[in-house]
Amino acid sequence: MSATPLSSLTRTFDPQSALRRLLVLDAVVTGVNALAYLFLSGPLGRFLGVGSGLLTGLGAFLAAYAVAVGLAASRRRPPTLGVWAVVEVNLAWAAVSCAALVLWLEPSAAGAVWTVLQALVVAGFALLQHMALRSRQLSQD
């Protein structure tokens, strides 16, 4: 692979656009998860081996969070403090998910796999959002 395509990618990388896209993707994934937890809490609870009440509560939280992340993404320049809050909440969610799996949840095998996978996805969002925010800050210096 030549250096030309790679260098063109780095020249066209816009941290602001990347940050907004990551926030939109986070809001959409979180929103879909929220709707599934809210409207399919019974069947999902049985499949994952967790209570439907827990899923409903998590779904309500995730719905509100998805709206907040979507609002941040809708801004032409998402506020730095708001994006840091999204990163921190995502990291906390990933950590609490893993802690819950070890400390108090007793999910099915599918529930255990789901808990780990969603924690990894959310941690990945946090990492990518952090990197895009830092890139945006560095590009303004």
Side-chain angles (χ1 to χ4, degrees):
M1 179 174 233
S2 73
T4 306
L6 291 177
S7 62
S8 67
L9 282 175
T10 58
R11 273 188 269 121
T12 59
F13 175 76
D14 174 26
Q16 182 68 26
S17 295
L19 182 58
R20 289 183 69 208
R21 283 190 205 115
L22 286 166
L23 290 170
V24 167
L25 184 59
D26 190 349
V28 168
V29 169
T30 302
V32 168
N33 207 24
L35 292 174
Y37 285 1
L38 286 169
F39 296 108
L40 299 172
S41 61
L44 275 177
R46 288 187 293 280
F47 178 69
L48 299 174
V50 298
S52 62
L54 174 63
L55 289 182
T56 301
L58 290 174
F61 168 77
L62 290 174
Y65 184 67
V67 169
V69 174
L71 287 173
S74 71
R75 307 269 309 266
R76 184 177 154 160
R77 183 177 179 1
T80 300
L81 189 58
V83 176
W84 279 120
V86 168
V87 169
E88 294 296 326
V89 170
N90 281 345
L91 288 174
W93 179 273
V96 170
S97 294
C98 292
L101 188 58
V102 172
L103 298 174
W104 66 83
L105 288 180
E106 295 179 11
S108 64
V113 169
W114 173 253
T115 301
V116 172
L117 287 178
Q118 62 85 30
L120 289 172
V121 168
V122 172
F125 277 139
L127 175 66
L128 293 171
Q129 290 159 346
H130 176 265
M131 290 170 49
L133 183 58
R134 293 291 296 152
S135 293
R136 181 178 83 176
Q137 291 171 330
L138 292 173
S139 71
Q140 294 171 349
D141 291 341

